[in-house]
Amino acid sequence: MNKEALALLAKINKTHPGAVCFASEMRVAKRFTSGSLSLDIALGGGWPGNQWVEVIGRESHGKTFIVYKTLAANQKKDPNFTCLWIAAEHYDTDQAEALGVDNDRVIVVPTQAMEFAYQTMLDFATSRSVDMIVLDSYPALIPDEESEKDMDEATMALGARLTGKFFRKSGAATKRSMTDPDDRPLLGIVINQYRDAIGKFSPHGTPTTTPGGNAKNYAFYTRVEVRRDEWIQEARPGKGKVNVGQVIKVKTIKNKSAAPQQIATIDAYFRSAPYLNFVRGDFDTTKEIMIMGILFDVIKRKGAYYEIDNGEYDDKGKPVLRWHSKENTLAAIREDLDLQEFLYEKVLAASLHADERSISEEDLEAAENSGTKKVSRRPKPEEADGLHTQAA
């Protein structure tokens, strides 16, 4: 690099310490786990640090559930992990505790005042006193000007303008040192909801939009959509089937640090399921490890057997971690916590080097159905005759 550029760099850093550095010197921002291997992989290694992310979805589809589990997973990894929770909606201490959250490390600010909520978020982000900031949820916030007006007085785009201003100011609040690894990183999550887009048309159903204006869509580093795919039921003697959980599908709508349009599938239990061996608040992490392991070839299928290469082999030269059928493999992984941890790290590492792999719903379905024999029904004679007639 020429001397003039180096001299200018030194001059700027003298008056504004740490303002300029070489790209090769920049540290990689920390990523925060979501508590789900499938979602961590879809995000590119976890939630991005020092950025704001948006979690969107319909009512009762698992948005807050995902955020609670993210908080709980990071608190479990770090005994000092602290969160600021702006409770524009109710913060449920019982639900949070059931999902593994340590409420002693959560600062709750119950408010619907938009200006106060945003300023509090900026103050805590600037102070570096917390590791995570959650706004639950944006549509429940009320601008002061709107709050002071009567119900019959209309207001237009107040929230959108304030939200745009918040994100313009938040850049400085969430900025961390480009080179100092000890500068405390931050994860910011805003929960939002869908609304029907009035006056618009879509061939795929009712068009939707999210409150807050369009500026926020550019400001968010990552945006994910949460939707319920199906219910998880447990058969109980004498009581029939009971809904104990739901399969949540999370799609990355926008991701500036990894491939967008990735899919994660999570089995989440909102009720204890004693016959399935799950308690309220559980993710079926072992099932995720199994599916992701197959998807990224960490768990390899050889005929009816599934193998995991950990460097140990039997007398025939085959891996010692080898089981007949997918069901036996899943059961063995469930019983061995060390094996779960080994597979989690190995699958996550493999996913980060699999640039050609796009995680679609078809990919996940193929991995989940691995080893399942599908029998196609033969057509009846009259159906076969009809097919021959059409062909002729």
Side-chain angles (χ1 to χ4, degrees):
M1 185 171 289
N2 62 65
K3 295 181 179 180
E4 290 79 3
L6 292 174
L8 187 57
L9 185 151
K11 180 180 178 181
I12 294 173
N13 277 334
K14 186 175 181 179
T15 54
H16 303 280
V20 185
C21 74
F22 292 108
S24 58
E25 297 174 341
M26 294 179 67
R27 67 187 179 99
V28 178
K30 175 185 176 180
R31 286 188 171 271
F32 296 82
T33 181
S34 64
S36 159
L37 175 60
S38 178
L39 182 51
D40 282 351
I41 290 173
L43 291 167
W47 300 108
N50 306 328
Q51 303 292 343
W52 292 97
V53 301
E54 184 181 34
V55 178
I56 321 164
R58 293 283 187 181
E59 70 280 1
S60 194
H61 276 227
K63 303 183 298 297
T64 308
F65 197 107
I66 293 290
V67 179
Y68 277 142
K69 292 295 287 184
T70 292
L71 174 55
N74 285 282
Q75 284 184 332
K76 185 178 180 181
K77 292 179 66 175
D78 181 359
N80 297 315
F81 194 91
T82 308
C83 173
L84 169 70
W85 192 288
I86 304 295
E89 298 180 20
H90 177 62
Y91 180 85
D92 193 323
T93 55
D94 178 62
Q95 174 75 342
E97 187 174 349
L99 270 58
V101 174
D102 179 3
N103 286 318
D104 289 334
R105 287 184 279 157
V106 181
I107 302 169
V108 180
V109 180
T111 182
Q112 287 186 281
M114 182 173 285
E115 287 87 345
F116 174 66
Y118 280 157
Q119 189 59 53
T120 303
M121 293 163 69
L122 290 173
D123 290 343
F124 271 88
T126 305
S127 71
R128 292 168 168 76
S129 58
V130 295
D131 304 280
M132 179 175 176
I133 297 176
V134 178
L135 169 58
D136 181 22
S137 62
Y138 168 79
L141 294 178
I142 307 172
D144 289 344
E145 185 178 337
E146 180 180 343
S147 179
E148 293 168 359
K149 290 189 175 184
D150 294 333
M151 290 296 293
D152 59 350
E153 295 183 273
T155 56
M156 294 294 293
L158 292 177
R161 292 200 299 269
L162 282 170
T163 300
K165 182 179 180 180
F166 164 76
F167 281 116
R168 289 193 298 273
K169 298 187 70 173
S170 70
T174 57
K175 183 182 178 181
R176 299 294 184 262
S177 170
M178 295 185 290
T179 57
D180 183 5
D182 296 325
D183 200 358
R184 192 175 191 176
L186 175 72
L187 169 62
I189 298 181
V190 176
I191 300 176
N192 209 342
Q193 305 164 3
Y194 276 128
R195 297 286 187 269
D196 291 345
I198 306 300
K200 295 185 179 180
F201 171 78
S202 171
H204 306 293
T206 304
T208 59
T209 186
T210 52
N214 290 327
K216 67 175 181 15
N217 299 342
Y218 296 93
F220 284 118
Y221 202 75
T222 301
R223 304 178 73 212
V224 301
E225 177 192 55
V226 178
R227 59 183 172 89
R228 180 176 59 246
D229 189 53
E230 61 181 333
W231 297 109
I232 300 173
Q233 295 185 323
E234 179 184 59
R236 296 185 177 179
K239 297 181 180 179
K241 292 184 177 180
V242 178
N243 288 342
V244 294
Q246 59 187 17
V247 178
I248 299 174
K249 286 197 173 179
V250 184
K251 181 179 181 180
T252 56
I253 301 173
K254 174 186 177 182
N255 196 344
K256 294 185 73 172
S257 58
Q261 306 300 316
Q262 303 296 288
I263 303 290
T265 302
I266 305 168
D267 286 12
Y269 289 82
F270 51 70
R271 180 179 287 129
S272 292
Y275 297 97
L276 297 176
N277 294 319
F278 290 101
V279 298
R280 176 186 172 192
D282 273 355
F283 280 166
D284 190 349
T285 53
T286 309
K287 181 180 176 182
E288 288 186 50
I289 290 172
M290 177 79 176
I291 294 173
M292 292 294 108
I294 294 172
L295 190 63
F296 289 97
D297 296 324
V298 173
I299 301 175
K300 297 183 179 180
R301 181 187 173 197
K302 300 291 182 67
Y305 287 84
Y306 289 81
E307 300 177 349
I308 300 171
D309 189 353
N310 68 339
E312 298 180 14
Y313 306 93
D314 60 18
D315 296 337
K316 298 180 180 179
K318 295 180 179 179
V320 295
L321 298 178
R322 188 169 185 265
W323 303 270
H324 180 272
S325 82
K326 185 172 68 175
E327 290 73 19
N328 290 336
T329 307
L330 182 60
I333 297 173
R334 286 197 192 280
E335 294 173 1
D336 192 334
L337 296 179
D338 290 336
L339 180 57
Q340 290 179 31
E341 186 175 349
F342 168 78
L343 287 173
Y344 188 102
E345 297 298 333
K346 195 165 184 179
V347 171
L348 189 58
S351 71
L352 297 177
H353 296 91
D355 292 336
E356 74 285 353
R357 167 63 69 188
S358 175
I359 309 174
S360 65
E361 294 193 44
E362 291 76 15
D363 292 324
L364 293 173
E365 185 178 356
E368 189 168 355
N369 293 329
S370 172
T372 303
K373 185 177 181 181
K374 293 186 177 181
V375 180
S376 57
R377 181 179 65 85
R378 289 185 178 181
K380 295 179 181 179
E382 57 271 22
E383 293 176 345
D385 292 340
L387 292 173
H388 292 313
T389 303
Q390 291 177 13

